Amino acid sequence: MGWAIALHGGAGDIPKDLPPERRKPREATLRRCLEIGVAALKAHKSALDVVELVVRELENCPHFNAGRGSVLTTDGTVEMEASVMDGKTKNCGAVSGLTTVVNPISLARLVMEKTPHIYLAFDGAEAFAREQIDYTQPIKKAPKIAPVPEGDQIGTVGCVAIDTQGNLATATSTGGLVNKMVGRIGDTPIIGTGTYANNLCAVSATGKGESIIRATVGRDVAALMEYKGLSLEDAAAYVVEECAPKGTVGLVAVSATGEVTMAYNTTGMFRACATEAGHAELGIWSSESNE
């Protein structure tokens, strides 16, 4: 079995002529975050600790649409969301509508561990953050911006892992859809859609949130494994190709047996993975990947 990890930095209509100044910083961040995750797994950190650690690092990168790099609403404001789930216990935590929290994924974990609830949003989530953490900073309201090209709307981040003890976990974080309506909530914080883990697999999805919600992407991968006996790869492929419209979804997933899959029906997906068996991959488009 052994440990395994996979992470993503968003799926969508990523042009193959993406300028180096936009491509290379993202690839470098994925590579660095993969190395951080691998080192933590080798140090026998829990899968839950690893996925939080990796997603925090991705949130701190301005090149992805999460945390520091979050996109703006139609009012020029930031509304971040995130969720985390432990496969062994099915404990989970989620947050939405955050404007001042530097690392939403850590607040989601605090919701899971410090409250009787699963999901806190907007003013309630911000109030809870002020009670629990001291790494908040104000984000000033920015002027309204014009719609950006589809290729720029990439960047939701996520990580899945299985640790040396066989525990599975997943974490996902995003700034949401570019120019979204104020108050819009996507798939990322909704357990069973953009984020899901049980004793069979851990899944983190990315793409167009409304499509991912309709397809219940995360839970359907697990359900196909549980009820149909499909492998992780086959289950993920079925959900991505048959359950969601083309061009709307990507996901990374790991199984309890150490399988890893990174499936998408978009032009590309920023992604990376590694296993204890020695496999390592980093890529964007289907025609290329490199160690």
Side-chain angles (χ1 to χ4, degrees):
M1 183 175 63
W3 57 260
I5 184 172
L7 53 146
H8 68 76
D13 185 16
I14 308 171
K16 290 197 174 183
D17 60 352
L18 188 69
E21 64 268 21
R22 292 181 57 202
R23 172 177 54 82
K24 290 183 178 180
R26 288 168 168 152
E27 289 178 325
T29 299
L30 286 176
R31 186 174 291 107
R32 180 174 60 82
C33 289
L34 182 64
E35 291 171 353
I36 289 171
V38 167
L41 287 167
K42 288 182 176 179
H44 304 291
K45 298 292 185 182
S46 73
L48 191 60
D49 286 345
V50 171
V51 296
E52 180 190 6
L53 173 65
V54 169
V55 170
R56 279 177 63 94
E57 288 296 320
L58 290 165
E59 287 174 335
N60 292 338
C61 174
H63 301 288
F64 292 112
N65 175 21
R68 181 181 172 193
S70 292
V71 299
L72 304 180
T73 68
T74 52
D75 278 1
T77 55
V78 170
E79 291 182 354
M80 299 171 285
E81 49 196 35
S83 66
V84 63
M85 188 167 187
D86 176 65
K88 183 177 181 180
T89 63
K90 291 189 182 178
N91 288 337
C92 47
V95 289
S96 285
L98 300 180
T99 60
T100 65
V101 178
V102 178
N103 292 112
I105 197 63
S106 291
L107 187 64
R109 184 169 180 182
L110 285 169
V111 171
M112 178 180 77
E113 296 181 340
K114 301 292 186 180
T115 82
H117 309 305
I118 289 175
Y119 197 160
L120 293 180
F122 296 92
D123 290 347
E126 288 283 343
F128 177 65
R130 287 192 292 272
E131 295 173 359
Q132 296 292 322
I133 55 181
D134 59 5
Y135 49 83
T136 59
Q137 62 184 20
I139 299 177
K140 293 182 180 179
K141 183 173 180 177
K144 292 185 178 181
I145 58 174
V148 299
E150 179 72 10
D152 285 338
Q153 299 179 17
I154 310 301
T156 291
V157 302
C159 181
V160 293
I162 180 169
D163 61 31
T164 55
Q165 300 301 310
N167 299 309
L168 292 152
T170 178
T172 315
S173 182
T174 189
L177 186 68
V178 174
N179 294 314
K180 64 185 178 182
M181 294 175 63
V182 172
R184 179 262 189 186
I185 294 172
D187 67 289
T188 292
I190 300 178
I191 302 301
T193 61
T195 305
Y196 188 75
N198 62 8
N199 63 340
L200 295 175
C201 67
V203 183
S204 175
T206 176
K208 295 185 177 179
E210 285 71 16
S211 295
I212 294 171
I213 292 170
R214 293 186 187 106
T216 56
V217 166
R219 174 56 190 158
D220 271 18
V221 172
L224 286 167
M225 295 179 69
E226 183 175 356
Y227 301 124
K228 297 285 286 186
L230 297 188
S231 68
L232 177 70
E233 183 177 4
D234 288 346
Y238 183 86
V239 170
V240 167
E241 298 301 330
E242 303 296 334
C243 300
K246 186 172 180 58
T248 63
V249 64
L251 64 83
V252 295
V254 296
S255 75
T257 59
E259 290 179 277
V260 176
T261 192
M262 302 186 290
Y264 53 96
N265 65 17
T266 55
T267 305
M269 179 172 71
F270 290 97
R271 64 194 190 276
C273 71
T275 69
E276 188 171 353
H279 174 74
E281 179 182 336
L282 188 150
I284 304 173
W285 302 282
S286 59
S287 60
E288 54 75 51
S289 64
N290 57 276
E291 293 187 3

